[in-house]
């Protein structure tokens, strides 16, 4: 494969402010064959793994970006001590999960599913850009609809909303939590912090 093409793709992924998709790369490079771009990305990622580089290509939010490998998290986390982090309390996480799994939906529906008023949590999630207003429901009062954002996908390391765990996977995760709660709690905290570094 043409080394110059690999170099161009690498520099575009490296320089992009957000994950860049195959179609965007194809457009920037004026190459109609998306499969050629995908093969080049796969080759770059393979070379990064084979040479033991401390970073990799990761597909998130429908595009590709560079991310540090998990084993180096402890080494680099001090670099981001003063970086503002997103803290998800159990209540906020519940609201976010309701929106993620039922989107788009209204504030009233979120309140109905959770059983309590969630206005405060919805406001906070809007402020940190994990959810957004997706339009208005065509009913009396035209209530706003909420859905998750690209930042939500990136924060949780998801390529698309379809990558959210299903009920069976959630049960497996909960069983693991019960079997070793302290160990899993530590792992989850590290995973969330690591996602903020990416």
């Amino acid at each position: 494969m043409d080394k110059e093409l690999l170099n161009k793709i690498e520099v575009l992924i490296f320089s992009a402010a957000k994950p860049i998709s195959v179609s965007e790369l194809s457009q920037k490079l004026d190459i109609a064959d998306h499969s050629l771009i995908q093969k080049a990305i796969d080759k770059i990622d393979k070379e990064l793994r084979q040479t033991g580089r401390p970073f990799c290509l990761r597909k998130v939010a429908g595009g590709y970006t560079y991310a540090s490998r998990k084993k180096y998290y402890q080494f680099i986390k001090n670099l981001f001590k003063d970086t503002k982090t997103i803290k998800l309390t159990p209540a906020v996480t519940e609201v976010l999960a309701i929106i993620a799994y039922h989107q788009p939906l209204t504030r009233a529906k979120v309140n109905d599913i959770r059983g309590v008023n969630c206005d405060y949590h919805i406001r906070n999630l809007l402020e940190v850009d994990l959810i957004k207003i997706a339009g208005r429901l065509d009913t009396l009062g035209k209530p706003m609809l909420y859905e998750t954002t690209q930042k939500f996908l990136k924060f949780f390391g998801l390529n698309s909303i379809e990558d959210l765990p299903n009920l069976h996977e959630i049960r497996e995760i909960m069983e693991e939590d019960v079997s070793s709660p302290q160990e899993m709690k530590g792992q989850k905290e590290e995973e969330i912090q690591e996602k903020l570094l990416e």
Side-chain angles (χ1 to χ4, degrees), residues 1-7:
M1 186 168 282
D2 180 19
K3 182 65 177 169
E4 187 60 20
L5 174 61
L6 296 177
N7 288 342

Side-chain angles (χ1 to χ4, degrees), residues 12-13 15-22 24-25 58-66 150-151 153-155 158-159 198:
L12 283 170
I13 294 172
S15 304
K18 62 182 182 62
I20 186 167
S21 69
V22 170
E24 288 173 312
L25 287 166
R58 187 164 294 164
K59 191 174 186 184
V60 292
Y64 288 90
T65 188
Y66 280 98
Q150 290 291 100
K151 186 173 179 180
L153 295 175
K154 188 171 182 187
F155 184 82
L158 303 170
N159 181 45
E198 293 173 1

Side-chain angles (χ1 to χ4, degrees), residues 10-12 15 37 78 82 127 129 159 163 166 173 189:
E10 275 199 274
V11 79
L12 283 170
S15 304
I37 302 291
N78 289 337
D82 298 325
E127 282 177 16
D129 194 32
N159 181 45
D163 293 334
N166 59 36
I173 291 166
E189 287 171 356

Side-chain angles (χ1 to χ4, degrees), residues 1 12 21 26 35 54 57-58 61 67-68 82 86 90 98 113 119 140 145 148 153 156 164 171 174 184 186:
M1 186 168 282
L12 283 170
S21 69
S26 180
S35 65
L57 280 179
R58 187 164 294 164
S68 55
D82 298 325
I86 298 170
I98 290 166
I113 292 170
D119 291 2
L140 185 66
L145 292 164
T148 55
L153 295 175
F156 289 101
L164 281 168
R171 282 188 181 132
M174 289 175 71
M184 290 300 294

Side-chain angles (χ1 to χ4, degrees), residues 48-108:
L48 289 171
R49 281 186 277 111
Q50 287 178 338
T51 55
R53 304 299 294 162
F55 47 85
C56 60
L57 280 179
R58 187 164 294 164
K59 191 174 186 184
V60 292
Y64 288 90
T65 188
Y66 280 98
S68 55
R69 295 195 187 277
K70 288 184 179 180
K71 67 187 260 185
Y72 295 104
Y73 165 68
Q74 292 296 331
F75 180 70
I76 63 172
K77 71 175 183 179
N78 289 337
L79 203 59
F80 297 90
K81 270 185 177 174
D82 298 325
T83 303
K84 186 180 178 183
T85 58
I86 298 170
K87 293 188 179 178
L88 296 179
T89 64
V92 174
T93 304
E94 281 180 27
V95 173
L96 186 56
I98 290 166
I99 294 170
Y101 281 97
H102 297 274
Q103 62 186 306
L105 78 169
T106 63
R107 186 184 306 257

